[in-house]
Amino acid sequence: QKEVEQNSGPLSVPEGAIASLNCTYSDRGSQSFFWYRQYSGKSPELIMSIYSNGDKEDGRFTAQLNKASQYVSLLIRDSQPSDSATYLCAVPRGGSNYKLTFGKGTLLTVNP
Amino acid sequence: DAGVIQSPRHEVTEMGQEVTLRCKLISGHNSLFWYRQTMMRGLELLIYFNNNVPIDDSGMPEDRFSAKMPNASFSTLKIQPSEPRDSAVYFCASSSNTYVGDGYTFGSGTRLTVV
């Protein structure tokens, strides 16, 4: 199993819909989880972090974590065309507190 | 805050040539990471510095790659000799402490093409 796995997409949703992005990880010891957004030709930018099981909300974004299932997701409510980007899941690597392992990302397209 | 600054933005070079990529950290940040991004492999960590000291270079692909951090605000990544398979986008990122919890701030990247 790869350390961090994401569906590469593309995921296409209509404007105003909920976009659901998923990520699984292999290291049961991982304690923190991050979602980065990367626009085409740009660098990744941190949009959400989550450390505890359950949901964490920030505006239109909600991160969900289930450590038992080794699963983290990102929900984007009221999706906008400006949300069209690649979303990268990142997890500290194997006991390290500094090495982030990134998934390959899911390309999201929000259609007007 | 000017952010993490990388140069050049684009580099096209011939196989066998030396390439030097540069990165200026955010003032006050003491951790520096060099990443490489390709379609096939995604984002890969090459090397990590903390307080100017290389802590982990296990991701450096081979001896052709070297990285330095001569002072607290500046780093270079050198490839000598370059090969076509080195073509990728190279990012540096910095953070304010050794704990990844605050996430990284990435520079705008250098797109390297080796022909």
Side-chain angles (χ1 to χ4, degrees), chain B residues 29-44:
Chain B
H29 281 192
N30 61 356
S31 292
L32 181 282
F33 308 84
W34 281 101
Y35 276 84
R36 176 172 67 177
Q37 187 175 38
T38 61
M39 289 292 291
M40 286 294 294
R41 301 175 68 90
L43 268 169
E44 303 174 279

Side-chain angles (χ1 to χ4, degrees), chain A residues 13 19 29-31 33 56 64-65 67-68 75 78 94-95 98 107 112:
Chain A
V13 301
S30 297
Q31 296 296 315
F33 308 85
K56 178 182 178 182
Q64 299 177 317
L65 175 60
K67 291 184 179 180
L75 301 178
D78 188 24
Y98 63 85
L107 176 61

Side-chain angles (χ1 to χ4, degrees), chain A residues 5 10 20 23 26 37-40 43 49 54 60 66-67 69 88 95 98 100 109:
Chain A
E5 290 203 65
S20 178
C23 172
S26 60
R37 177 177 61 200
Q38 187 175 23
Y39 292 113
S40 179
S43 57
S49 59
R60 294 185 298 111
N66 184 325
K67 291 184 179 180
S69 299
L88 303 165
Y98 63 85
L100 276 184
T109 301

Side-chain angles (χ1 to χ4, degrees), chain B residues 20 31 52:
Chain B
T20 299
S31 292
N52 308 356

Side-chain angles (χ1 to χ4, degrees), chain A residues 71-108:
Chain A
Y71 175 95
V72 58
S73 64
L74 180 70
L75 301 178
I76 306 174
R77 291 183 302 282
D78 188 24
S79 296
Q80 301 296 309
S82 59
D83 295 326
S84 298
T86 296
Y87 289 81
L88 303 165
C89 174
V91 180
R93 181 185 301 172
S96 160
N97 66 355
Y98 63 85
K99 282 186 183 180
L100 276 184
T101 298
F102 286 82
K104 290 189 178 179
T106 298
L107 176 61
L108 172 66

Side-chain angles (χ1 to χ4, degrees), chain B:
Chain B
D1 185 348
V4 178
I5 300 172
Q6 290 187 246
S7 64
R9 289 297 306 273
H10 302 275
E11 176 81 31
V12 181
T13 190
E14 291 186 346
M15 182 174 62
Q17 296 298 306
E18 177 180 296
V19 175
T20 299
L21 312 180
R22 297 173 176 81
C23 174
K24 184 176 186 301
L25 282 69
I26 291 175
S27 177
H29 281 192
N30 61 356
S31 292
L32 181 282
F33 308 84
W34 281 101
Y35 276 84
R36 176 172 67 177
Q37 187 175 38
T38 61
M39 289 292 291
M40 286 294 294
R41 301 175 68 90
L43 268 169
E44 303 174 279
L45 177 65
L46 300 177
I47 188 168
Y48 157 58
F49 290 87
N50 183 251
N51 292 325
N52 308 356
V53 176
I55 303 299
D56 186 343
D57 65 356
S58 59
M60 296 287 261
E62 49 197 274
D63 291 345
R64 297 185 296 107
F65 286 69
S66 62
K68 294 182 180 179
M69 196 164 177
N71 57 56
S73 62
F74 183 73
S75 177
T76 60
L77 177 68
K78 184 177 294 186
I79 308 172
Q80 166 64 20
S82 57
E83 297 182 3
R85 60 191 167 125
D86 301 330
S87 297
V89 180
Y90 290 81
F91 289 103
C92 71
S94 70
S95 70
S96 59
N97 54 50
T98 56
Y99 177 54
V100 77
D102 293 339
Y104 305 159
T105 300
F106 282 84
S108 55
T110 295
R111 182 174 294 277
L112 173 65
T113 303
V114 183
V115 297

